């Protein structure tokens, strides 16, 4: 089986977000970049399938500034992917162009069986790129997938929707899966893996080689703001009955949320 | 006149809260409001959209739409957008819309943004903002190179206006285009809970490792029942297998936006807070005065939850009855 895994590099959740002095964007100094956690579930599932089907291969793709995104690809290679493709792009590219670029590269690489992505990237929470890649390649997709069985040329997935409802869906032919937590437990890269990763091939492609222009984007951001400081916490005092009664009054009469 | 399309989700024949919010915003904008109502019961639901400000409804009640199939829905919605070329399509940032709209955006070359928390349509303008980096900052979204903008709004951000049941409008029936499907929905297992999904709930009571064991979630259930609230959980208790993953709130769980979030026996780790920062009021109940959740909560009670929660349930019962 030929499997592609798209991985995005995102700021670690613990990273402190600061704005540039003119509020035109975020200040990226001091940010620690990690693999998007949901992409790790996709990668793990790809590696498990490869292990169960001899002769399979796993190629990871990542789009972003070369100097940092190369680390995301190396991490994925150290976990067990066979090779990587890096699409060098400026710091901010919208989902529309990202999906176009990823789909073009995948199409150029020849026939494939499966594409894995995360259900969303935790920096934007956008959940756009997966479905847009599937659309560009005219293949079916399923997102928020927490269970996958791949047999022959079809994939049966379980996805969680709202209110605890679960859907079981069958996708025919090559398809795209957006991974959710619950699909598996991602492995860690071990030392032999990290050493091996250094020798694995990483292909580099630029947006211009893909005949894509940054000007074609649909979305951009401006007027960045940090959230308003919340008023300080009111810690209630007194015996427990008094505290509880006061809390209910505050919720009802002051905050008016009841 | 410039039109706004509102994609209206409904359940058990009733418009969902998010749809009511969007219809309100659209009808206040002075634009021509068209509701898009897809699925069985769509014709009756379409009348409700008129009561909330739609002037026209595009309706399809084909039984092919009874279960959500991304291909069938994407074919139909893409067709509607290609034919009418609306300036703006509004939808709730629900699981369904977040799965569907990106595919439609890619097919119709539209712009797409999800999870928006501010929407301003005054004077023919379109101003939206969305949170970034788990709510650690936010930005205005600018659109270019497109005819249609698809904007998905988080729930509980916009006011709902009263229904005017005398209002009516034009119903246009549409058909599902035929196509060879590669996607087959085999089974849908309904959730066991009658409570609102966490992403829609107005009040949430969440529990963490402080509850000690799974059986103690019944304390939270009782509190939630008196408030008509939904029950959530921290990742620690989901990973421990006490409650299903669908209840997890936070960075790798659900992002919620209730009016009131009550965190019981939850320390307030940054990954948990990432999911709750747009709550209007956060109440923390924790026996450790140093717990990080007390830095971010609106109100805090320092105490043993096994004492506080039953007292609180009784007090709510007394006050709300
Ligand atoms: C904070 C932030 C907010 C943004 N908000 C919007 C917005 O509202 N609208 C919009 O059009 N654009 C937005 N963008 C721009 C654009 O979405 C991203 O820059 C672009 O990389 C697409 O990723 P995503 O975050 O939308 O990913 P999602 O669509 O959430 O990601 C889904 C999956 O697609 C794959 N994927 C996504 N990006 C890449 C990549 N660069 N390389 C490899 N795989 C990838 C991953 O497997 C990921 O799990 C935002 C960017 C940032 C940083
Ligand atoms: C990549 C990543 C993603 C993550 N995603 C999420 C996520 O989506 N959601 C999430 O919640 N976490 C997430 N986490 C985990 C997070 O870091 C914390 O480990 C988790 O939130 C802790 O859960 P907790 O507060 O229930 O448990 P603890 O941290 O153990 O806190 C228990 C609290 O209960 C209090 N307590 C104990 N007994 C009592 C009592 N009798 N009365 C009152 N209070 C009491 C204690 O003082 C303590 O503050 C993630 C972590 C990582 C690394």
């Amino acid at each position: 089986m030929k499997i592609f895994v798209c991985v995005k590099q995102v700021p670690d959740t613990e990273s402190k977000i600061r704005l540039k002095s003119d509020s035109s964007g975020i200040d990226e100094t001091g940010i620690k970049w990690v693999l998007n956690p949901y992409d790790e579930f996709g990668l793990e599932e790809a590696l498990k399938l490869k292990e169960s089907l001899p002769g399979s291969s796993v190629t990871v793709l990542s789009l972003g500034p070369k100097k940092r995104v190369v680390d995301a690809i190396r991490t994925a290679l150290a976990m067990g992917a066979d090779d990587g493709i890096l699409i060098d792009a400026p710091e901010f590219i919208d989902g529309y162009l990202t999906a176009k670029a990823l789909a073009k590269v995948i199409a150029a690489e020849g026939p494939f069986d499966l594409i894995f992505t995360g259900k969303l990237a935790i920096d934007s929470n956008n959940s756009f790129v997966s479905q847009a890649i599937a659309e560009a390649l005219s293949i079916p997709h399923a997102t928020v997938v927490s269970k996958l069985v791949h047999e022959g040329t079809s994939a049966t997935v379980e996805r969680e929707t709202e209110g605890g409802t679960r859907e079981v869906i069958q996708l025919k032919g090559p398809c795209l899966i957006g991974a959710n937590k619950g699909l598996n437990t991602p492995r860690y890269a071990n030392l032999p893996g990290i050493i091996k990763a250094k020798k694995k091939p990483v292909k580099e492609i630029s947006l211009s080689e893909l005949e894509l222009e940054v000007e074609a984007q649909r979305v951009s951001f401006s007027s960045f703001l940090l959230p308003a400081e919340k008023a300080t916490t009111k810690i209630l005092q007194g015996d427990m009955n008094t505290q509880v009664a006061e809390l209910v009054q505050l919720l009802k009469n002051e905050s008016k949320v009841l | 006149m410039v039109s706004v399309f509102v994609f209206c989700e409904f359940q058990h024949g009733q418009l969902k809260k998010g749809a009511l919010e969007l219809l309100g915003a659209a009808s206040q904008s002075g634009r021509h409001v068209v509701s898009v109502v897809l699925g069985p019961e769509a014709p009756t639901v379409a009348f409700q959209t008129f009561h909330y400000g739609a002037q026209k409804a595009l309706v399809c009640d084909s039984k092919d739409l009874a279960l959500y199939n991304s291909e069938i829905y994407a074919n139909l919605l893409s067709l509607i957008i290609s034919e009418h070329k609306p300036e703006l399509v509004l939808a709730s940032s629900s699981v369904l819309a977040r799965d569907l709209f990106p595919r439609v955006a890619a097919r119709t070359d539209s712009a797409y943004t999800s999870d928006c928390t501010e929407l301003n349509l005054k004077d023919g303008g379109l101003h939206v903002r969305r949170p970034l980096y788990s709510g650690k900052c936010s930005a205005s979204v600018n659109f270019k190179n497109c005819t249609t903008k698809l904007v998905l709004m988080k729930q509980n951000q916009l006011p709902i206006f009263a229904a005017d049941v005398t209002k009516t409008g034009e119903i246009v029936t549409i058909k599902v285009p035929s196509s060879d499907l590669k996607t087959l929905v085999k089974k849908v297992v309904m959730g066991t809970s009658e409570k609102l999904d966490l992403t829609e709930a107005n009040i949430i009571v969440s529990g963490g490792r402080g509850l000690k064991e799974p059986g103690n979630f019944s304390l939270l259930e009782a509190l939630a029942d008196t408030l008509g609230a939904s029950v959530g959980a921290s990742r620690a208790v989901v990973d421990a297998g006490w409650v299903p993953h669908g209840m997890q709130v936070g960075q790798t769980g659900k992002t919620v936006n209730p009016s009131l979030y009550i965190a019981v026996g939850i320390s307030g780790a940054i990954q948990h807070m990432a999911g709750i920062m747009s709550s209007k009021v956060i109440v923390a109940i924790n026996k450790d005065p140093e717990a990080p959740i007390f830095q971010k909560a609106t109100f805090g009670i320092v105490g043993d939850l096994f004492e506080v929660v039953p007292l609180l349930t009784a007090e709510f019962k007394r006050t709300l009855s």
Side-chain angles (χ1 to χ4, degrees):
Chain A
M1 246 200 318
K2 188 160 177 59
I3 307 173
F4 287 100
V5 184
C6 301
V7 297
K8 187 181 184 187
Q9 210 181 27
V10 297
D12 176 83
T13 323
E14 313 264 353
S15 299
K16 191 160 167 56
I17 298 294
R18 288 185 214 87
L19 300 187
K20 290 182 185 160
S21 53
D22 62 355
S23 296
S24 63
I26 65 157
D27 174 3
E28 301 201 344
T29 48
I31 284 184
K32 185 179 156 214
W33 297 92
V34 297
L35 277 189
N36 180 40
Y38 292 107
D39 301 358
E40 289 187 20
F41 299 119
L43 178 59
E44 176 63 34
E45 202 64 13
L47 296 174
K48 276 170 53 183
L49 279 168
K50 169 183 136 105
E51 285 156 5
S52 69
L53 287 164
S56 300
S57 69
V58 174
T59 302
V60 288
L61 299 105
S62 192
L63 176 146
K66 180 173 145 184
K67 63 177 188 325
R68 63 170 169 83
V69 172
V70 71
D71 296 335
I73 292 186
R74 289 287 167 208
T75 305
L77 295 177
M79 282 168 73
D82 297 289
D83 57 348
I85 302 177
L86 190 163
I87 307 170
D88 189 22
E91 197 60 60
F92 186 87
I93 295 291
D94 78 355
Y96 179 85
L97 210 59
T98 301
K100 282 227 146 119
L102 291 166
K104 269 197 165 182
V105 169
I106 292 171
E109 290 287 307
F112 61 91
D113 298 281
L114 272 172
I115 302 172
F116 284 101
T117 63
K119 75 162 176 185
L120 56 80
I122 59 159
D123 52 0
S124 68
N125 242 47
N126 209 27
S127 61
F128 175 82
V129 171
S130 315
Q131 300 90 309
I133 294 173
E135 176 63 29
L137 296 169
S138 299
I139 58 168
H141 80 265
T143 55
V144 207
V145 170
S146 52
K147 204 168 160 186
L148 168 75
V149 179
H150 193 270
E151 271 170 330
T153 59
S154 96
T156 304
V157 305
E158 200 170 287
R159 62 190 296 266
E160 214 175 273
T161 59
E162 279 164 359
T165 298
R166 285 173 296 124
E167 300 176 351
V168 180
I169 297 172
Q170 191 182 51
L171 306 171
K172 287 187 231 156
C175 60
L176 181 143
I177 308 291
N180 193 16
K181 183 169 178 277
L183 189 57
N184 51 47
T185 309
R187 67 194 67 189
Y188 288 100
N190 55 20
L191 193 59
I194 294 168
I195 293 167
K196 264 196 219 154
K198 298 210 167 104
K199 298 207 185 85
K200 290 180 178 173
V202 177
K203 199 191 285 185
E204 284 177 28
I205 301 177
S206 66
L207 282 183
S208 56
E209 283 171 80
L210 294 171
E211 291 170 354
L212 292 174
E213 285 167 24
V214 175
E215 289 69 39
Q217 293 186 86
R218 298 287 185 268
V219 174
S220 67
F221 293 110
S222 58
S223 320
F224 283 70
L225 280 178
L226 296 177
E229 284 292 328
K230 284 220 167 169
T232 42
T233 308
K234 185 177 173 84
I235 304 284
L236 301 172
Q237 308 290 341
D239 71 65
M240 207 41 84
N241 283 308
T242 316
Q243 289 193 33
V244 164
E246 190 186 351
L247 176 64
V248 173
Q249 285 316 311
L250 285 168
L251 294 175
K252 205 173 155 198
N253 302 325
E254 192 175 301
S255 309
K256 300 192 171 28
V257 289
L258 292 181
Chain B
M1 203 190 341
V2 185
S3 51
V4 185
F5 281 36
V6 182
F7 181 78
C8 293
E9 285 187 55
F10 56 94
Q11 201 173 25
H12 309 310
Q14 295 296 319
L15 283 170
K16 287 197 174 185
K17 194 173 168 206
L20 301 181
E21 294 179 3
L22 295 172
L23 285 166
S27 62
Q28 297 285 305
S29 74
R31 292 162 167 98
H32 182 65
V33 182
V34 180
S35 60
V36 178
V37 192
L38 310 180
E41 304 181 281
T44 29
V45 175
F47 281 102
Q48 295 169 32
T49 71
F50 299 146
H51 302 160
Y52 287 94
Q55 285 134 304
K56 180 169 150 182
L58 301 180
V59 173
C60 182
D61 65 353
S62 161
K63 57 181 184 319
D64 295 340
L65 301 172
L67 298 176
Y68 170 66
N69 178 316
S70 57
E71 268 186 80
I72 300 176
Y73 270 74
N75 291 345
L76 188 56
L77 192 57
S78 301
L79 207 71
I80 292 173
I81 289 173
S82 311
E83 189 180 321
H84 297 272
K85 300 189 173 45
E87 174 210 24
L88 173 65
V89 183
L90 297 173
S92 262
S93 215
S94 66
V95 175
L96 186 151
R98 289 172 65 113
D99 185 76
L100 170 65
F101 276 72
R103 223 179 154 127
V104 173
R107 196 175 307 173
T108 59
D109 269 337
S110 306
Y112 167 90
T113 190
S114 63
D115 268 359
C116 298
T117 47
E118 281 178 40
L119 171 71
N120 188 337
L121 298 170
K122 284 206 193 88
D123 306 322
L126 169 62
H127 178 75
V128 297
R129 284 186 76 83
R130 81 191 297 285
L132 305 173
Y133 308 102
S134 315
K136 287 185 213 163
C137 72
S138 69
S140 292
V141 185
N142 313 308
F143 304 99
K144 50 192 173 185
N145 301 319
C146 61
T147 311
T148 301
K149 296 125 196 160
L150 310 179
V151 172
L152 271 49
M153 286 291 298
K154 273 195 185 190
Q155 266 194 164
N156 299 333
Q157 309 294 322
L158 300 164
I160 294 175
F161 298 97
D164 179 349
V165 293
T166 62
K167 283 208 175 137
T168 180
E170 178 197 358
I171 289 198
V172 178
T173 310
I174 44 182
K175 280 207 182 78
V176 172
S178 68
S179 59
D180 285 334
L181 296 176
K182 293 180 196 153
T183 307
L184 185 71
V185 181
K186 301 192 75 162
K187 192 166 76 172
V188 176
V189 186
M190 289 300 171
T192 46
S193 169
E194 286 295 300
K195 298 195 171 109
L196 274 180
D197 189 75
L198 290 171
T199 54
E200 294 177 42
N202 194 34
I203 304 183
I204 296 172
V205 179
S206 266
R209 194 140 50 187
L211 279 162
K212 301 276 185 298
E213 53 179 278
N216 292 332
F217 260 83
S218 59
L219 278 175
L220 299 192
E221 296 283 348
L223 176 58
D225 285 345
T226 51
L227 290 170
S230 298
V231 180
S234 74
R235 169 160 163 186
V237 304
V238 171
D239 284 354
W242 296 5
V243 295
H245 178 249
M247 284 171 69
Q248 185 181 317
V249 175
Q251 180 205 297
T252 43
K254 288 179 174 158
T255 311
V256 298
N257 8 251
S259 304
L260 173 59
Y261 187 88
I262 306 182
V264 180
I266 292 178
S267 58
I270 191 157
Q271 296 89 353
H272 188 82
M273 300 315 285
I276 71 169
M277 285 320 283
S278 46
S279 308
K280 231 177 253 153
V281 172
I282 298 171
V283 171
I285 299 168
N286 197 305
K287 68 174 183 190
D288 175 9
E290 303 295 321
I293 190 133
F294 286 128
Q295 314 272 297
K296 301 281 183 200
T298 325
F299 303 118
I301 290 187
V302 179
D304 185 343
L305 70 91
F306 295 100
E307 182 193 357
V308 181
V309 174
L311 284 177
L312 197 55
T313 306
E315 183 66 16
F316 277 129
K317 236 180 225 155
R318 210 175 56 79
T319 319
L320 298 178
S321 61

